[in-house]
Amino acid sequence: MPGWLAWWLSLNLATVLLFGYDKAIAGGRRRRIPERTLLAFALVGGSPGALLAMRAFRHKTAKVSFRRAMGWVVGMQVLAGAVLLAMMASPRG
């Protein structure tokens, strides 16, 4: 398995676990994971895991500001991927 793939899979697993842990402790006395941290994990490549966890755990789905921020993260990643593909496909000369 390529190193980048192992890193990406590990990052997404960590993201799912963070979302799951945050959901599990919600409403209790333990300190919650800041939204900024959850979004940071999504931003650096864990957005598939974040989206999966949001759906599976029904976590952060009712909070419009968080959903909007996740949409921004995913949108920026899609845009960056499209730009990268366009750059790779353009003839160099």
Side-chain angles (χ1 to χ4, degrees):
M1 175 183 309
W4 67 268
L5 182 58
W7 173 85
W8 184 75
L9 291 171
S10 297
L11 175 64
N12 278 277
L13 176 61
T15 303
V16 169
L17 293 174
L18 280 176
F19 272 78
Y21 176 74
D22 191 53
K23 175 68 175 189
I25 64 172
R29 292 185 175 178
R30 291 185 181 161
R31 189 171 189 162
R32 301 279 305 274
I33 296 173
E35 288 183 0
R36 181 176 282 172
T37 301
L38 297 174
L39 289 168
F41 270 74
L43 182 64
V44 298
S47 56
L51 294 171
L52 175 71
M54 286 175 70
R55 176 165 255 189
F57 304 135
R58 294 187 191 137
H59 190 47
K60 300 289 186 187
T61 55
K63 192 161 187 182
V64 175
S65 62
F66 190 85
R67 285 195 342 245
R68 188 175 292 133
M70 273 300 300
W72 182 86
V73 165
V74 171
M76 290 296 107
Q77 289 173 337
V78 168
L79 180 62
V83 168
L84 182 62
L85 287 174
M87 289 172 53
M88 291 172 55
S90 69
R92 297 193 174 144

